[in-house]
Amino acid sequence: AVCSMGNSTSRLYSVLAKTLSSGAVSQHQDCLEQLDSAQLDPIDPRDLLEECQIVLQKRPPRFRRNFVNLKKNPASNHRPIRVMQWNILAQALGEGKDNFVQCPMEALKWEERKCLILEEILAYKPDILCLQEVDHYFDTFEPLLSRLGYQCTFFPKPWSPCLDVEHNNGPDGCAMFFLKERFELVNSANIRLTAMKLKTNQVAIAQTLKCHETGRLFCIAVTHLKARTGWERFRSAQGCDLLQNLKNITQGAKIPLIVCGDFNAEPTEEVYREFSNSSLNLNSAYKLLSPDGQSEPPYTTWKIRPSGECRHTLDYIWYSQHALNVTSALGLLTEEQIGPNRLPSFNYPSDHLSLVCDFSFNQDPDRLL
């Protein structure tokens, strides 16, 4: 069978529409896995954004979030690297398992929620995009983002809870996307995390990239640790395993590192302390938004389940503070913007907020090690 993703003369909406049906994945997944993105016609992000807004015209407008300038050093001689971290909420879990009691099922329809996710990504234009709970990779994110110039990688969980949901779209997992015009892939590792010497259901992707503009190498990683109260020691063990893998990949911090993820851990947990105190010299970028630069945001996820209201800080962007500067970070949504029914909603597609930071390289990183 020949799988056509359209051509430059067709309406972009026909491309977008092909990704709307979850049933399409079984029909097209084999083909999409084999497609070389270089063979697909590029698409203009403005056109895709316009198509998303047509689909969303009956929904409230996107929330307005502003970047906070954190630059204290003289101007860098290169363009910042914009990194976006986001747990986008797996469609199967949102519809089938997560029990968002204040969120109407109508707000979770994939046909529209997908466009809310794309609209958020297109609005912030990340150079590197790190996602968790991706269960529409082959029928939505890979075919569209590859045509926007991203190189795409997906690593599913071995036993995804999505597979327990009827009419699911396959397993969820972590996905990473980087702009090929800005970076060259030097090395890529898919990591199945271990805990107590046992392989677990949680995964990570770590890629070493070369920045075309500066010639500098850096490593970018994405992960999603085990959820739920009572699993703190398990998360701690997973974090130790990930850190050991990253030490090997970065040659003990010689290569600058950025780690994005839903850690399912508050800053009071052991796994957070492990990352804070690691020999990789990591700092959490969103601490820099606090008045003293030492406190995490009050929340990165806020939802209502049958058990009650859940307001937690679980998502982080860690970075090598000796080698990288955070020049700006995207402010979070206020309680007023989120509203009394919390997340997700008709306004916002996930129960987690996206985090976005701009990074620049330090000129003399070794001096600070």
Side-chain angles (χ1 to χ4, degrees), residues 49-201:
L49 182 59
E50 182 184 342
E51 295 295 349
C52 288
Q53 290 167 345
I54 290 170
V55 174
L56 297 170
Q57 56 190 337
K58 292 183 181 178
R59 291 208 177 201
R62 277 184 68 256
F63 293 122
R64 181 172 178 80
R65 297 169 65 186
N66 296 316
F67 280 90
V68 179
N69 186 9
L70 300 168
K71 201 169 202 173
K72 298 182 177 67
N73 297 336
S76 171
N77 58 6
H78 68 87
R79 274 192 301 158
I81 297 169
R82 176 162 293 181
V83 176
M84 184 174 189
Q85 147 61 29
W86 199 11
N87 178 331
I88 60 172
L89 174 61
Q91 183 64 21
L93 300 184
E95 287 184 314
K97 282 199 160 194
D98 276 346
N99 294 319
F100 301 118
V101 293
Q102 296 295 101
C103 178
M105 285 301 292
E106 185 77 8
L108 295 172
K109 285 171 54 179
W110 180 242
E111 291 87 345
E112 295 179 7
R113 197 173 78 85
K114 176 185 75 77
C115 291
L116 275 178
I117 295 170
L118 290 168
E119 187 182 46
E120 181 97 345
I121 295 167
L122 291 163
Y124 300 125
K125 304 173 185 171
D127 299 305
I128 302 171
L129 174 62
C130 295
L131 302 179
Q132 301 87 42
E133 290 198 24
V134 178
D135 64 346
H136 274 274
Y137 177 80
F138 291 108
D139 70 336
T140 298
F141 294 104
E142 195 277 341
L144 286 175
L145 291 174
S146 65
R147 295 182 66 182
L148 291 170
Y150 289 92
Q151 184 155 327
C152 314
T153 304
F154 176 60
F155 191 24
K157 294 175 184 173
W159 309 297
S160 167
C162 293
L163 299 177
D164 297 333
V165 179
E166 193 176 359
H167 307 303
N168 66 74
N169 198 63
D172 76 301
C174 292
M176 185 182 294
F177 310 83
F178 66 84
L179 284 177
K180 291 183 287 187
E181 69 172 17
R182 292 212 64 186
F183 311 109
E184 173 190 341
L185 180 63
V186 175
N187 181 61
S188 185
N190 288 353
I191 303 164
R192 185 173 171 188
L193 298 175
T194 63
M196 298 84 170
K197 298 185 179 178
L198 298 174
K199 290 187 180 296
T200 73
N201 194 34

Side-chain angles (χ1 to χ4, degrees), residues 206-335:
Q207 296 190 329
T208 303
L209 305 181
K210 182 178 181 180
C211 176
H212 290 318
E213 187 177 345
T214 64
R216 298 278 294 270
L217 294 178
F218 68 100
C219 177
I220 177 83
V222 57
T223 196
H224 188 187
L225 301 188
K226 173 67 182 170
R228 296 196 176 90
T229 304
W231 291 85
E232 291 81 5
R233 287 185 62 198
F234 197 83
R235 281 190 288 273
S236 173
Q238 288 183 327
C240 285
D241 182 50
L242 179 57
L243 284 168
Q244 187 56 55
N245 274 280
L246 294 174
K247 285 174 189 174
N248 294 337
I249 291 168
T250 63
Q251 301 166 31
K254 288 182 181 176
I255 298 172
L257 174 64
I258 300 169
V259 187
C260 297
D262 174 359
F263 281 64
N264 275 308
E266 291 272 11
T268 52
E269 270 199 38
E270 182 63 31
V271 68
Y272 182 93
R273 290 193 290 275
E274 286 162 359
F275 270 73
S276 293
N277 300 326
S278 164
S279 62
L280 292 172
N281 196 23
L282 299 173
N283 193 21
S284 174
Y286 264 72
K287 283 166 53 176
L288 302 178
L289 288 181
S290 65
D292 62 357
Q294 299 300 313
S295 306
E296 293 289 353
Y299 50 83
T300 62
T301 179
W302 201 343
K303 53 208 161 200
I304 301 175
R305 284 180 166 149
S307 57
E309 198 156 340
C310 306
R311 177 180 178 266
H312 299 292
T313 300
L314 306 178
D315 306 270
Y316 306 96
I317 300 179
W318 297 91
Y319 69 101
S320 300
Q321 56 188 337
H322 62 282
L324 296 165
N325 291 310
V326 184
T327 59
S328 65
L330 182 65
L332 298 172
L333 294 178
T334 64
E335 180 177 359

Side-chain angles (χ1 to χ4, degrees), residues 30-45:
D30 290 342
C31 176
L32 287 169
E33 286 177 306
Q34 294 167 13
L35 271 174
D36 180 356
S37 59
Q39 296 172 351
L40 301 176
D41 295 312
I43 52 180
D44 189 318

